[in-house]
Amino acid sequence: MSDSIAFQFMTEIGIIHQLGSTVMERSLTDGLTLPQFAVLNHLVRLGDQQSPVELARAMQVTKATMSSTLGRLERKGLVAGNPNPDDGRSRRIAITPRGRKVRDRAITAVAGHIADIEKEIGTAALENGLPLLRKVRTLLDRARGDD
């Protein structure tokens, strides 16, 4: 009995994640860890401030783990915690200009590996694959149950 196509598909995504994470970890600059890069990249991608709880949910980690990651990023001057104007108690995390530069340097450092993928597969094929990957991400995101 063979595995379902959906299982095979998800297995490939998992393997790609592992291989891609290894490439990223080896390429990161400025003493950045992969979880720290993920937070910086998330903040750039969304283009707005997020609470530590929202970031923990997005990264699928505990609040304590996210607090630790944010503490390290704040000490490096890569993010800033600002008071939430809605309640004054919680914080909103924003990437600093320095954080954006560090994130951009990390992307530059991995660019050669990414360019090799694009060269081998082709820009059009990658563009055609994005809608499917985004749909899978959306389905998984909806099903994760943050409660």
Side-chain angles (χ1 to χ4, degrees):
M1 178 171 145
S2 68
D3 294 327
S4 73
I5 193 69
F7 184 81
Q8 292 177 52
F9 184 83
M10 294 305 295
T11 297
E12 291 298 324
I13 289 174
I15 294 167
I16 291 166
H17 170 74
Q18 280 300 123
L19 294 169
S21 293
T22 299
V23 167
M24 282 299 298
E25 286 170 348
R26 290 179 181 163
S27 301
L28 289 174
T29 59
D30 301 282
L32 208 59
T33 66
L34 192 55
Q36 292 168 356
F37 171 79
V39 169
L40 296 178
N41 197 51
H42 182 78
L43 290 169
V44 168
R45 188 173 66 84
L46 293 184
D48 61 357
Q49 298 181 20
Q50 297 243 296
S51 73
V53 171
E54 290 168 325
L55 288 167
R57 258 190 235 128
M59 300 292 133
Q60 295 284 283
V61 298
T62 66
K63 293 175 204 168
T65 297
M66 183 52 63
S67 290
S68 175
T69 300
L70 292 174
R72 287 183 179 97
L73 288 169
E74 283 183 285
R75 285 190 293 281
K76 292 178 180 184
L78 306 180
V79 299
N82 305 308
N84 186 339
D86 295 334
D87 66 19
R89 295 182 324 260
S90 62
R91 297 183 319 146
R92 304 295 291 171
I93 305 299
I95 191 167
T96 64
R98 181 166 183 247
R100 185 176 289 274
K101 286 178 187 171
V102 167
R103 179 252 185 201
D104 291 348
R105 274 197 300 269
I107 289 175
T108 299
V110 77
H113 300 290
I114 293 170
D116 289 345
I117 292 168
E118 187 171 354
K119 182 179 173 186
E120 183 70 27
I121 295 172
T123 303
L126 291 174
E127 287 174 347
N128 290 337
L130 280 175
L132 175 60
L133 290 172
R134 288 182 177 134
K135 174 102 176 165
V136 170
R137 177 181 43 86
T138 300
L139 290 169
L140 291 172
D141 198 35
R142 216 178 306 144
R144 70 181 164 160
D146 288 326
D147 301 336

